[in-house]
């Protein structure tokens, strides 16, 4: 199509508008990559999402209407690749949730809102059996189990999901674009049930910066690398097996996790009458007996050998 602008003044305005569009780039304020996580308190959940421009961090939610409102904050995350792509990671905590109650919600701000999602608040007592989906090594390509996980999560068949390492293949690939697309994909699961994560070797780029920035796990280490939570009659512990293999990031992290684990196990052991099960999960095997050519025959991949 040929656009004719007869007036020099109009041509100048048109060129000015085009230059402005090129110089400012796209405005991306609509929330995406939304996911729910446990906070450590049974009556509280954390909602995390991304935007590519700075906005407020707001959740509107409720049981029959969006009559409740919670606010939080955001932090700027810059990918370590050559383009140094920035995005804003938003976090909002929802407190005072009623166990067993289903809530609808959307996230965003006055400039843009997400689609509508829902979740069910979990029980705090130990006298029930949680339904947990557990998997690892899921990428942006060939995520064959994702349609089933999506369907069953939205049908309420899971109380939580544990993703035990290796996301997207890899979060940092193509200056973080692969990580963004994976988080959009997993939103179909993670926006409906708590999506609890564990770090894997494929998250190692830039000292695990994508993993540390994108998720919001409970605990006070501040980096999602190790934490614990209670669910039904079980105490769950997520550990970083990667500390033992990426020593270029320092040795202190091994000691810090070890001392934290000692304290956490001592407290969990004192509570065995209420929660008799202690479940630990990490990306690499503690012990391995397979005779294939992968992890088990390479001692450096077995945590117990470290």
């Amino acid at each position: 199509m040929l656009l004719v602008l007869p007036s020099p003044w109009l041509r100048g305005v048109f060129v000015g508008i085009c230059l402005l569009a090129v110089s400012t780039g796209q405005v991306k304020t609509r929330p995406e990559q939304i996911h729910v996580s446990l906070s450590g308190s049974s009556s509280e959940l954390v909602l995390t999402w991304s935007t590519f421009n700075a906005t407020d961090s707001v959740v509107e939610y409720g049981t029959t209407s969006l009559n409740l409102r919670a606010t939080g904050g955001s932090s700027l995350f810059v990918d370590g690749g050559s383009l140094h792509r920035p995005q804003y990671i938003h976090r909002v905590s929802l407190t005072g949730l009623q166990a067993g109650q289903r809530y609808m919600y959307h996230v965003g701000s006055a400039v843009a809102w997400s689609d509508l999602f829902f979740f069910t608040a979990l029980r705090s007592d130990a006298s029930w059996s949680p339904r947990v989906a557990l998997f690892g090594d899921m990428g942006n390509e060939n995520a064959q189990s994702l349609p089933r996980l999506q369907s069953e999560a939205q049908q309420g068949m899971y109380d939580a999901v544990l993703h035990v390492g290796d996301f997207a293949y890899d979060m940092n690939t193509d200056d973080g674009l692969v990580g963004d697309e994976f988080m959009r994909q997993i939103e179909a699961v993670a926006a409906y049930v708590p999506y609890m994560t564990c770090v894997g070797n494929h998250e190692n780029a830039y000292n695990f910066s994508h993993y540390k920035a994108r998720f919001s796990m409970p605990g006070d280490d501040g980096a999602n690398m190790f934490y614990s939570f209670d669910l039904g009659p079980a105490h769950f512990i997520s550990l970083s097996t990667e500390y033992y293999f990426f020593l270029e990031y320092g040795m202190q992290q091994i000691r810090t996790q070890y001392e934290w684990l000692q304290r956490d196990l001592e407290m969990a052991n004192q509570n065995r009458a209420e929660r008799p099960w202690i479940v630990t999960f990490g990306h690499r095997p503690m012990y391995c007996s397979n005779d294939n050519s992968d992890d088990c025959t390479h001692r450096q991949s077995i945590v117990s050998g470290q």
Side-chain angles (χ1 to χ4, degrees):
M1 180 180 70
L2 177 63
L3 178 62
V4 178
L5 297 174
S7 164
W9 181 84
L10 286 176
R11 286 197 294 270
V13 171
F14 181 74
V15 171
I17 292 173
C18 290
L19 289 174
L20 179 62
V22 170
S23 63
T24 58
Q26 296 179 345
V27 175
K28 295 185 177 181
T29 55
R30 192 173 191 273
E32 60 176 58
Q33 309 176 39
I34 300 157
H35 48 286
V36 183
S37 58
L38 302 174
S39 71
S41 169
S42 59
S43 62
E44 180 179 353
L45 289 175
V46 179
L47 292 171
T48 307
W49 69 91
S50 292
T51 60
F52 293 93
N53 290 91
T55 70
D56 292 335
S57 307
V58 182
V59 178
E60 294 180 340
Y61 66 107
T63 57
T64 58
S65 65
L66 303 178
N67 61 313
L68 302 173
R69 180 182 176 92
T71 60
S74 66
S75 56
L76 176 63
F77 170 64
V78 179
D79 171 65
S82 61
L83 298 182
H84 303 293
R85 292 180 60 249
Q87 64 179 280
Y88 293 86
I89 311 292
H90 301 259
R91 292 177 174 87
V92 174
S93 295
L94 305 186
T95 61
L97 300 173
Q98 300 299 311
Q101 181 65 60
R102 177 164 157 159
Y103 293 84
M104 67 180 78
Y105 74 93
H106 65 187
V107 307
S109 66
V111 295
W113 293 101
S114 72
D115 292 335
L116 195 66
F117 301 98
F118 58 84
F119 64 81
T120 300
L122 298 177
R123 293 170 53 176
S124 61
D125 63 284
S127 59
W128 63 289
S129 297
R131 302 159 300 171
V132 177
L134 172 66
F135 60 88
D137 297 43
M138 179 180 285
N140 163 242
E141 292 186 38
N142 200 32
Q144 296 185 22
S145 58
L146 186 56
R148 179 173 178 177
L149 287 166
Q150 174 183 350
S151 175
E152 293 183 350
Q154 294 181 19
Q155 291 179 58
M157 296 177 65
Y158 309 137
D159 298 301
V161 168
L162 306 184
H163 187 155
V164 189
D166 284 4
F167 304 77
Y169 290 101
D170 291 337
M171 287 285 198
N172 63 292
T173 301
D174 292 342
D175 295 285
L177 289 172
V178 171
D180 290 337
E181 183 57 31
F182 175 80
M183 294 305 297
R184 296 183 192 106
Q185 289 174 284
I186 203 67
E187 179 186 270
V189 176
Y192 296 91
V193 294
Y195 180 61
M196 309 305 291
T197 62
C198 179
V199 68
N201 57 297
H202 276 267
E203 285 71 70
N204 78 88
Y206 319 122
N207 196 6
F208 302 92
S209 64
H210 275 266
Y211 178 82
K212 292 175 180 178
R214 289 179 181 270
F215 300 111
S216 306
M217 297 299 108
D220 56 6
D221 86 298
N224 306 317
M225 299 294 279
F226 54 86
Y227 63 91
S228 65
F229 61 93
D230 295 328
L231 193 62
H235 180 71
F236 288 83
I237 301 174
S238 174
L239 296 173
S240 170
T241 58
E242 305 317 301
Y243 281 162
Y244 303 95
F245 300 92
F246 293 94
L247 300 180
E248 63 267 32
Y249 298 133
M251 297 289 290
Q252 180 59 42
Q253 57 192 5
I254 297 175
R255 182 182 183 91
T256 300
Q257 178 175 252
Y258 176 77
E259 292 175 348
W260 169 86
L261 181 59
Q262 278 190 312
R263 295 191 300 270
D264 191 81
L265 286 173
E266 287 171 359
M267 290 187 293
N269 201 45
Q270 294 171 5
N271 197 34
R272 294 298 276 269
E274 181 180 12
R275 289 189 164 90
W277 297 97
I278 298 177
V279 179
T280 62
F281 56 100
H283 181 63
R284 303 194 195 218
M286 184 67 69
Y287 305 99
C288 203
S289 59
N290 291 349
D291 61 359
N292 60 17
S293 60
D294 200 359
D295 291 335
C296 291
T297 54
H298 297 281
R299 185 169 179 80
Q300 67 269 23
S301 294
I302 304 174
V303 177
S304 62
Q306 302 304 310

